[in-house]
Amino acid sequence: MRLVQATLCAGVLLVAGADPGAGQAAIPREATDDQAVVLKGSDLQSALRSGELASGRILEGGDVFSVTMLHRTAPTATIHGTLSDLYVVQEGSATLVTGGSLVDPRPANRPGDQRGSAIRGGTERVIGPGDVVFIPPGMAHGFRDFADAGSITYLNIHFPWSR
């Protein structure tokens, strides 16, 4: 059920990103059981350009999901123990590395999460604006080789997922 809820929320965000109409401002909000939240693409883009969403939580759904705008300029390497990632790239491009193993792994914020200095092995793909990426729990993933303006900005939607 939680996967269905998270997927529906991700779908709302994708649809909102395609709608250039005016709407409520994209400010950090907490999701509730009795209110739909629509984040208009034009508001997200405006907040992104102004620096308001350079990196910050947009929508919080407790244990079910979170939506954050992230701006990366330096290499990353991480594994989530129980959360999936869904990226919707807004600006910039980089090489996404998935799979393989973490170099110098150490515990991260949440139980089961790890960070590393790099990823050894894995599959490399260049991603850019409009691309959507799904990463299941337990898979090493990170960015390197930033192109364009030397950065990548993306919506990061976290949600629990199990097979």
Side-chain angles (χ1 to χ4, degrees):
M1 183 63 166
R2 289 178 187 245
L3 175 59
V4 170
Q5 291 172 334
T7 302
L8 289 173
C9 289
V12 166
L13 286 167
L14 289 173
V15 169
D19 182 357
Q24 71 188 48
I27 57 173
R29 298 194 52 145
E30 184 171 328
T32 65
D33 291 343
D34 61 351
Q35 180 181 10
V37 177
V38 176
L39 304 171
K40 298 298 242 174
S42 58
D43 292 335
L44 289 173
Q45 290 302 319
S46 176
L48 180 61
R49 282 190 296 277
S50 73
E52 177 184 342
L53 288 180
S55 185
R57 185 66 47 97
I58 296 171
L59 189 61
E60 180 63 55
D63 293 339
V64 179
F65 71 94
S66 67
V67 180
T68 306
M69 182 71 74
L70 294 174
H71 180 78
R72 303 283 189 204
T73 58
T76 62
T78 191
I79 293 176
H80 300 302
T82 61
L83 295 178
S84 295
D85 276 308
L86 184 67
Y87 298 162
V88 182
V89 181
Q90 302 296 300
E91 292 182 350
S93 63
T95 300
L96 173 70
V97 182
T98 58
S101 59
L102 293 180
V103 175
D104 304 319
R106 60 192 180 284
N109 299 341
R110 290 179 295 269
D113 286 6
Q114 297 179 29
R115 296 221 181 271
S117 59
I119 296 175
R120 183 177 303 114
T123 302
E124 299 181 5
R125 299 173 190 90
V126 176
I127 63 171
D131 290 347
V132 176
V133 176
F134 170 77
I135 302 166
M139 179 176 283
H141 59 283
F143 292 109
R144 64 179 189 77
D145 299 336
F146 300 90
D148 299 334
S151 65
I152 190 166
T153 302
Y154 57 101
L155 284 173
N156 183 9
I157 303 163
H158 276 140
F159 57 95
W161 184 71
S162 62
R163 296 174 200 237

